[in-house]
Amino acid sequence: MMLKYIPLLCTAHALLAPSRRPLRPTRLPSSIGDVAPTAGATTSGTKSNKPVKTLEFLYPAAAAATTVAWTACACAALGTHPRLDLPPLHTRLTIAQALVPLPVLWATCQSLASAAGVGWSRLESATYRRLNLGLATASAWLPAPPWVAPGFTG
């Protein structure tokens, strides 16, 4: 029962605990290339300042496709209960609760699309690399719940 609160406690501890050492910008290995920490920084390549139109289109398209798929899965999985006759209000609230993470997805994809509009120099910054890694991790994690769900529902 208490295990479900561990992520919340870890997050609260990370936000509220005082840091023992000051934060310093992380340097990348020289094989990848050095990226300036400022948002307006440019790299030495000539392509780095040109907008990346393909990614500028693909990030919102990925957000739209994920929204449609996520909503369809939530409605199909939570629309009915196999053993109980639940009131429609309960079903609608359960589906709405499953859709709560979607605004985070939209904001992330919008941010990455606007960075792609600036060019590779912005996408290579640490902030947008982290957003891309987070989006990739979340996208890789999305198939896990439906895959393991039959083990929980019997």
Side-chain angles (χ1 to χ4, degrees):
M1 182 79 173
M2 293 298 290
L3 291 177
K4 66 181 179 180
Y5 295 111
I6 289 176
L8 180 62
L9 294 173
C10 292
T11 305
H13 174 71
L15 292 174
L16 301 175
S19 177
R20 291 191 172 91
R21 57 188 163 108
L23 296 175
R24 288 176 276 152
T26 305
R27 304 258 325 155
L28 292 175
S30 60
S31 62
I32 296 175
D34 293 328
V35 177
T38 59
T42 59
T43 57
S44 60
T46 57
K47 288 184 173 181
S48 64
N49 292 330
K50 293 181 182 175
V52 187
K53 293 293 183 188
T54 305
L55 288 178
E56 196 174 1
F57 168 75
L58 286 178
Y59 281 121
T66 303
T67 299
V68 169
W70 188 267
T71 304
C73 285
C75 291
L78 302 171
T80 60
H81 195 280
R83 294 184 208 117
L84 300 175
D85 186 25
L86 299 171
L89 179 62
H90 180 274
T91 304
R92 280 180 260 161
L93 288 175
T94 304
I95 292 171
Q97 184 179 8
L99 301 179
V100 165
L102 288 178
V104 175
L105 169 76
W106 301 332
T108 301
C109 288
Q110 181 61 38
S111 178
L112 288 167
S114 67
V118 172
W120 284 111
S121 61
R122 180 72 57 90
L123 283 171
E124 290 174 347
S125 73
T127 300
Y128 294 101
R129 282 196 318 256
R130 287 185 192 114
L131 281 174
N132 267 316
L133 286 173
L135 188 61
T137 303
S139 296
W141 177 250
L142 282 176
W147 185 55
V148 299
F152 292 105
T153 58

PDB file of all heavy atoms in Angstrom, residues 127-146:
ATOM      1  N   THR A 127      19.119  21.671 -22.621  1.00  0.00           N
ATOM      2  CA  THR A 127      17.695  21.645 -22.282  1.00  0.00           C
ATOM      3  C   THR A 127      16.901  20.821 -23.277  1.00  0.00           C
ATOM      4  O   THR A 127      16.098  19.964 -22.909  1.00  0.00           O
ATOM      5  CB  THR A 127      17.132  23.072 -22.232  1.00  0.00           C
ATOM      6  OG1 THR A 127      17.839  23.799 -21.239  1.00  0.00           O
ATOM      7  CG2 THR A 127      15.651  23.077 -21.924  1.00  0.00           C
ATOM      8  N   TYR A 128      17.128  21.064 -24.560  1.00  0.00           N
ATOM      9  CA  TYR A 128      16.351  20.366 -25.576  1.00  0.00           C
ATOM     10  C   TYR A 128      16.820  18.928 -25.763  1.00  0.00           C
ATOM     11  O   TYR A 128      16.036  18.070 -26.151  1.00  0.00           O
ATOM     12  CB  TYR A 128      16.365  21.158 -26.885  1.00  0.00           C
ATOM     13  CG  TYR A 128      15.636  22.457 -26.702  1.00  0.00           C
ATOM     14  CD1 TYR A 128      16.320  23.648 -26.505  1.00  0.00           C
ATOM     15  CD2 TYR A 128      14.255  22.480 -26.642  1.00  0.00           C
ATOM     16  CE1 TYR A 128      15.636  24.825 -26.289  1.00  0.00           C
ATOM     17  CE2 TYR A 128      13.561  23.659 -26.428  1.00  0.00           C
ATOM     18  CZ  TYR A 128      14.259  24.827 -26.252  1.00  0.00           C
ATOM     19  OH  TYR A 128      13.580  25.977 -26.032  1.00  0.00           O
ATOM     20  N   ARG A 129      18.089  18.653 -25.464  1.00  0.00           N
ATOM     21  CA  ARG A 129      18.535  17.255 -25.457  1.00  0.00           C
ATOM     22  C   ARG A 129      17.805  16.491 -24.361  1.00  0.00           C
ATOM     23  O   ARG A 129      17.382  15.350 -24.550  1.00  0.00           O
ATOM     24  CB  ARG A 129      20.049  17.175 -25.249  1.00  0.00           C
ATOM     25  CG  ARG A 129      20.831  17.487 -26.504  1.00  0.00           C
ATOM     26  CD  ARG A 129      22.270  17.037 -26.375  1.00  0.00           C
ATOM     27  NE  ARG A 129      22.853  17.328 -25.089  1.00  0.00           N
ATOM     28  CZ  ARG A 129      23.708  18.301 -24.823  1.00  0.00           C
ATOM     29  NH1 ARG A 129      24.084  19.113 -25.789  1.00  0.00           N
ATOM     30  NH2 ARG A 129      24.212  18.468 -23.619  1.00  0.00           N
ATOM     31  N   ARG A 130      17.663  17.117 -23.196  1.00  0.00           N
ATOM     32  CA  ARG A 130      16.937  16.458 -22.093  1.00  0.00           C
ATOM     33  C   ARG A 130      15.465  16.250 -22.445  1.00  0.00           C
ATOM     34  O   ARG A 130      14.880  15.213 -22.121  1.00  0.00           O
ATOM     35  CB  ARG A 130      17.059  17.289 -20.819  1.00  0.00           C
ATOM     36  CG  ARG A 130      18.414  17.213 -20.196  1.00  0.00           C
ATOM     37  CD  ARG A 130      18.448  17.951 -18.863  1.00  0.00           C
ATOM     38  NE  ARG A 130      19.806  18.101 -18.430  1.00  0.00           N
ATOM     39  CZ  ARG A 130      20.441  19.266 -18.310  1.00  0.00           C
ATOM     40  NH1 ARG A 130      19.806  20.379 -18.575  1.00  0.00           N
ATOM     41  NH2 ARG A 130      21.686  19.308 -17.904  1.00  0.00           N
ATOM     42  N   LEU A 131      14.859  17.243 -23.077  1.00  0.00           N
ATOM     43  CA  LEU A 131      13.464  17.082 -23.491  1.00  0.00           C
ATOM     44  C   LEU A 131      13.315  15.942 -24.492  1.00  0.00           C
ATOM     45  O   LEU A 131      12.370  15.149 -24.409  1.00  0.00           O
ATOM     46  CB  LEU A 131      12.933  18.379 -24.101  1.00  0.00           C
ATOM     47  CG  LEU A 131      12.523  19.469 -23.125  1.00  0.00           C
ATOM     48  CD1 LEU A 131      12.149  20.735 -23.881  1.00  0.00           C
ATOM     49  CD2 LEU A 131      11.374  19.017 -22.264  1.00  0.00           C
ATOM     50  N   ASN A 132      14.238  15.841 -25.441  1.00  0.00           N
ATOM     51  CA  ASN A 132      14.193  14.743 -26.409  1.00  0.00           C
ATOM     52  C   ASN A 132      14.379  13.395 -25.728  1.00  0.00           C
ATOM     53  O   ASN A 132      13.684  12.432 -26.058  1.00  0.00           O
ATOM     54  CB  ASN A 132      15.271  14.935 -27.481  1.00  0.00           C
ATOM     55  CG  ASN A 132      14.746  15.665 -28.680  1.00  0.00           C
ATOM     56  OD1 ASN A 132      13.657  15.386 -29.155  1.00  0.00           O
ATOM     57  ND2 ASN A 132      15.522  16.606 -29.181  1.00  0.00           N
ATOM     58  N   LEU A 133      15.310  13.306 -24.783  1.00  0.00           N
ATOM     59  CA  LEU A 133      15.520  12.053 -24.061  1.00  0.00           C
ATOM     60  C   LEU A 133      14.290  11.684 -23.229  1.00  0.00           C
ATOM     61  O   LEU A 133      13.892  10.515 -23.175  1.00  0.00           O
ATOM     62  CB  LEU A 133      16.748  12.145 -23.165  1.00  0.00           C
ATOM     63  CG  LEU A 133      18.087  12.088 -23.897  1.00  0.00           C
ATOM     64  CD1 LEU A 133      19.226  12.372 -22.921  1.00  0.00           C
ATOM     65  CD2 LEU A 133      18.279  10.745 -24.560  1.00  0.00           C
ATOM     66  N   GLY A 134      13.691  12.666 -22.581  1.00  0.00           N
ATOM     67  CA  GLY A 134      12.478  12.410 -21.808  1.00  0.00           C
ATOM     68  C   GLY A 134      11.329  11.964 -22.689  1.00  0.00           C
ATOM     69  O   GLY A 134      10.580  11.041 -22.344  1.00  0.00           O
ATOM     70  N   LEU A 135      11.184  12.597 -23.851  1.00  0.00           N
ATOM     71  CA  LEU A 135      10.129  12.215 -24.785  1.00  0.00           C
ATOM     72  C   LEU A 135      10.370  10.809 -25.325  1.00  0.00           C
ATOM     73  O   LEU A 135       9.434  10.009 -25.436  1.00  0.00           O
ATOM     74  CB  LEU A 135      10.062  13.234 -25.929  1.00  0.00           C
ATOM     75  CG  LEU A 135       8.905  13.110 -26.900  1.00  0.00           C
ATOM     76  CD1 LEU A 135       7.580  13.280 -26.178  1.00  0.00           C
ATOM     77  CD2 LEU A 135       9.037  14.139 -28.002  1.00  0.00           C
ATOM     78  N   ALA A 136      11.614  10.478 -25.629  1.00  0.00           N
ATOM     79  CA  ALA A 136      11.936   9.132 -26.112  1.00  0.00           C
ATOM     80  C   ALA A 136      11.677   8.086 -25.034  1.00  0.00           C
ATOM     81  O   ALA A 136      11.130   7.010 -25.305  1.00  0.00           O
ATOM     82  CB  ALA A 136      13.389   9.076 -26.570  1.00  0.00           C
ATOM     83  N   THR A 137      12.046   8.393 -23.798  1.00  0.00           N
ATOM     84  CA  THR A 137      11.811   7.447 -22.697  1.00  0.00           C
ATOM     85  C   THR A 137      10.323   7.246 -22.468  1.00  0.00           C
ATOM     86  O   THR A 137       9.857   6.108 -22.300  1.00  0.00           O
ATOM     87  CB  THR A 137      12.488   7.953 -21.413  1.00  0.00           C
ATOM     88  OG1 THR A 137      13.879   8.142 -21.680  1.00  0.00           O
ATOM     89  CG2 THR A 137      12.311   6.986 -20.278  1.00  0.00           C
ATOM     90  N   ALA A 138       9.567   8.335 -22.459  1.00  0.00           N
ATOM     91  CA  ALA A 138       8.119   8.219 -22.268  1.00  0.00           C
ATOM     92  C   ALA A 138       7.480   7.452 -23.417  1.00  0.00           C
ATOM     93  O   ALA A 138       6.581   6.645 -23.204  1.00  0.00           O
ATOM     94  CB  ALA A 138       7.496   9.603 -22.137  1.00  0.00           C
ATOM     95  N   SER A 139       7.951   7.677 -24.631  1.00  0.00           N
ATOM     96  CA  SER A 139       7.396   6.968 -25.780  1.00  0.00           C
ATOM     97  C   SER A 139       7.720   5.480 -25.720  1.00  0.00           C
ATOM     98  O   SER A 139       6.902   4.647 -26.101  1.00  0.00           O
ATOM     99  CB  SER A 139       7.944   7.558 -27.077  1.00  0.00           C
ATOM    100  OG  SER A 139       7.526   8.889 -27.207  1.00  0.00           O
ATOM    101  N   ALA A 140       8.900   5.146 -25.243  1.00  0.00           N
ATOM    102  CA  ALA A 140       9.273   3.741 -25.104  1.00  0.00           C
ATOM    103  C   ALA A 140       8.479   3.080 -23.978  1.00  0.00           C
ATOM    104  O   ALA A 140       8.208   1.879 -24.015  1.00  0.00           O
ATOM    105  CB  ALA A 140      10.765   3.611 -24.850  1.00  0.00           C
ATOM    106  N   TRP A 141       8.098   3.856 -22.962  1.00  0.00           N
ATOM    107  CA  TRP A 141       7.379   3.320 -21.812  1.00  0.00           C
ATOM    108  C   TRP A 141       5.890   3.152 -22.094  1.00  0.00           C
ATOM    109  O   TRP A 141       5.220   2.332 -21.471  1.00  0.00           O
ATOM    110  CB  TRP A 141       7.595   4.238 -20.612  1.00  0.00           C
ATOM    111  CG  TRP A 141       6.846   3.803 -19.398  1.00  0.00           C
ATOM    112  CD1 TRP A 141       5.776   4.432 -18.842  1.00  0.00           C
ATOM    113  CD2 TRP A 141       7.089   2.658 -18.587  1.00  0.00           C
ATOM    114  NE1 TRP A 141       5.342   3.751 -17.745  1.00  0.00           N
ATOM    115  CE2 TRP A 141       6.139   2.651 -17.559  1.00  0.00           C
ATOM    116  CE3 TRP A 141       8.015   1.626 -18.629  1.00  0.00           C
ATOM    117  CZ2 TRP A 141       6.082   1.665 -16.593  1.00  0.00           C
ATOM    118  CZ3 TRP A 141       7.961   0.639 -17.663  1.00  0.00           C
ATOM    119  CH2 TRP A 141       7.009   0.672 -16.661  1.00  0.00           C
ATOM    120  N   LEU A 142       5.328   3.891 -23.026  1.00  0.00           N
ATOM    121  CA  LEU A 142       3.885   3.861 -23.288  1.00  0.00           C
ATOM    122  C   LEU A 142       3.330   2.467 -23.594  1.00  0.00           C
ATOM    123  O   LEU A 142       2.240   2.144 -23.135  1.00  0.00           O
ATOM    124  CB  LEU A 142       3.531   4.825 -24.421  1.00  0.00           C
ATOM    125  CG  LEU A 142       3.478   6.296 -24.038  1.00  0.00           C
ATOM    126  CD1 LEU A 142       3.209   7.148 -25.264  1.00  0.00           C
ATOM    127  CD2 LEU A 142       2.429   6.556 -22.987  1.00  0.00           C
ATOM    128  N   PRO A 143       4.034   1.621 -24.342  1.00  0.00           N
ATOM    129  CA  PRO A 143       3.454   0.292 -24.601  1.00  0.00           C
ATOM    130  C   PRO A 143       3.474  -0.642 -23.397  1.00  0.00           C
ATOM    131  O   PRO A 143       2.794  -1.661 -23.403  1.00  0.00           O
ATOM    132  CB  PRO A 143       4.329  -0.289 -25.709  1.00  0.00           C
ATOM    133  CG  PRO A 143       5.160   0.815 -26.204  1.00  0.00           C
ATOM    134  CD  PRO A 143       5.193   1.863 -25.162  1.00  0.00           C
ATOM    135  N   ALA A 144       4.213  -0.329 -22.355  1.00  0.00           N
ATOM    136  CA  ALA A 144       4.347  -1.239 -21.215  1.00  0.00           C
ATOM    137  C   ALA A 144       3.028  -1.491 -20.474  1.00  0.00           C
ATOM    138  O   ALA A 144       2.719  -2.651 -20.205  1.00  0.00           O
ATOM    139  CB  ALA A 144       5.418  -0.727 -20.265  1.00  0.00           C
ATOM    140  N   PRO A 145       2.233  -0.470 -20.116  1.00  0.00           N
ATOM    141  CA  PRO A 145       1.004  -0.765 -19.378  1.00  0.00           C
ATOM    142  C   PRO A 145       0.020  -1.687 -20.099  1.00  0.00           C
ATOM    143  O   PRO A 145      -0.466  -2.638 -19.489  1.00  0.00           O
ATOM    144  CB  PRO A 145       0.403   0.629 -19.106  1.00  0.00           C
ATOM    145  CG  PRO A 145       1.566   1.543 -19.126  1.00  0.00           C
ATOM    146  CD  PRO A 145       2.507   0.972 -20.152  1.00  0.00           C
ATOM    147  N   PRO A 146      -0.272  -1.470 -21.396  1.00  0.00           N
ATOM    148  CA  PRO A 146      -1.191  -2.424 -22.037  1.00  0.00           C
ATOM    149  C   PRO A 146      -0.607  -3.839 -22.129  1.00  0.00           C
ATOM    150  O   PRO A 146      -1.326  -4.818 -22.101  1.00  0.00           O
ATOM    151  CB  PRO A 146      -1.414  -1.843 -23.440  1.00  0.00           C
ATOM    152  CG  PRO A 146      -1.007  -0.439 -23.355  1.00  0.00           C
ATOM    153  CD  PRO A 146       0.005  -0.337 -22.277  1.00  0.00           C
TER     154      PRO A 146
END
